[in-house]
Amino acid sequence: MNEERSTVFVVDDDASMREALKNLLRSMGLNVETFGSAKEFLSSQRSKGPGCLVLDVRLPGLSGLDLQRQLADANIQIPIIFITAHGDIQMSVRAMKAGAVEFLTKPFRDQDLLDAVQQAVDRDRAIRVQRAQAADLRKRYESLSPREQEVMDMVVRGLLNKQIAGKVGTSEATVKMHRSHVMRKMRADSLAELVRIAEKLSLPSQRTKNARP
């Protein structure tokens, strides 16, 4: 497991457990930051790279489950692995339904934790790639002029150049020019690719089209 640029955040009020987890995870080439409480974690200046959160359920003050909910409410997306010495099925179901990667009961095998961390870090990396791609597509779309956006909207809905020209009140040659600009700025090599880009951007026309029975 070579994740030197990944960080595992460990939140556990047991100092000996924090130290053991830090040593285990660092032995696998991971950066590790430890905290004794949810409040300490929330108030810290954490690294911004990919990673995950290894979180004890029972903590002084804000519990692990409460921290999970608070992070979700704040739209802070980080994969969570719960660990606890006092877990039950209801608690586990609640955590997993809220998006936790794993729920491990102490004492757990080192390999079980490492496997869960690898899965969580891989998930976080994938999500970050998707967000970066979405941001890039949005930036490309925003580089279009209002008229080019209008033409793109009608192109991906399947309108012909002649139809678009009639709707916007311009010549077919002008529509072809706008369409060429759209393809170049959106870096689309084909109409099919432009449609896929529109779907990824969730443009209103595509949402309406996809919502139809």
Side-chain angles (χ1 to χ4, degrees), residues 116-209:
V117 166
Q118 181 68 73
Q119 180 185 352
V121 169
D122 288 346
R123 177 188 294 186
D124 193 41
R125 285 186 180 278
I127 290 172
R128 287 169 180 269
V129 168
Q130 291 172 0
R131 286 203 299 259
Q133 290 173 342
D136 180 58
L137 290 179
R138 177 57 59 180
K139 186 177 180 180
R140 293 185 215 171
Y141 182 73
E142 291 174 351
S143 75
L144 302 178
S145 69
R147 177 50 57 88
E148 288 167 351
Q149 291 180 2
E150 186 180 13
V151 168
M152 176 176 168
D153 177 70
M154 287 185 276
V155 167
V156 298
R157 283 193 284 135
L159 275 67
L160 302 175
N161 290 342
K162 183 177 181 179
Q163 294 171 309
I164 297 172
K167 283 183 173 294
V168 301
T170 190
S171 68
E172 193 170 345
T174 300
V175 170
K176 288 181 180 178
M177 180 189 67
H178 287 314
R179 184 167 179 161
S180 175
H181 290 171
V182 168
M183 298 297 284
R184 176 176 55 81
K185 291 181 179 180
M186 298 306 297
R187 301 176 201 165
D189 296 326
S190 66
L191 174 58
E193 186 175 356
L194 188 66
V195 170
R196 286 194 292 271
I197 289 173
E199 290 174 345
K200 290 178 180 179
L201 285 168
S202 297
L203 299 181
S205 60
Q206 291 301 298
R207 291 198 297 268
T208 302
K209 180 179 177 180

Side-chain angles (χ1 to χ4, degrees), residues 75-132:
N75 197 31
I76 299 175
Q77 300 178 11
I78 180 170
I80 297 176
I81 300 161
F82 278 103
I83 56 175
T84 182
H86 309 285
D88 55 41
I89 294 177
Q90 183 178 2
M91 189 182 294
S92 173
V93 169
R94 176 184 169 188
M96 299 301 285
K97 279 188 175 181
V101 173
E102 186 58 275
F103 193 98
L104 299 175
T105 302
K106 300 175 184 178
F108 45 78
R109 295 191 313 126
D110 288 352
Q111 192 59 51
D112 288 341
L113 176 64
L114 294 175
D115 289 345
V117 166
Q118 181 68 73
Q119 180 185 352
V121 169
D122 288 346
R123 177 188 294 186
D124 193 41
R125 285 186 180 278
I127 290 172
R128 287 169 180 269
V129 168
Q130 291 172 0
R131 286 203 299 259

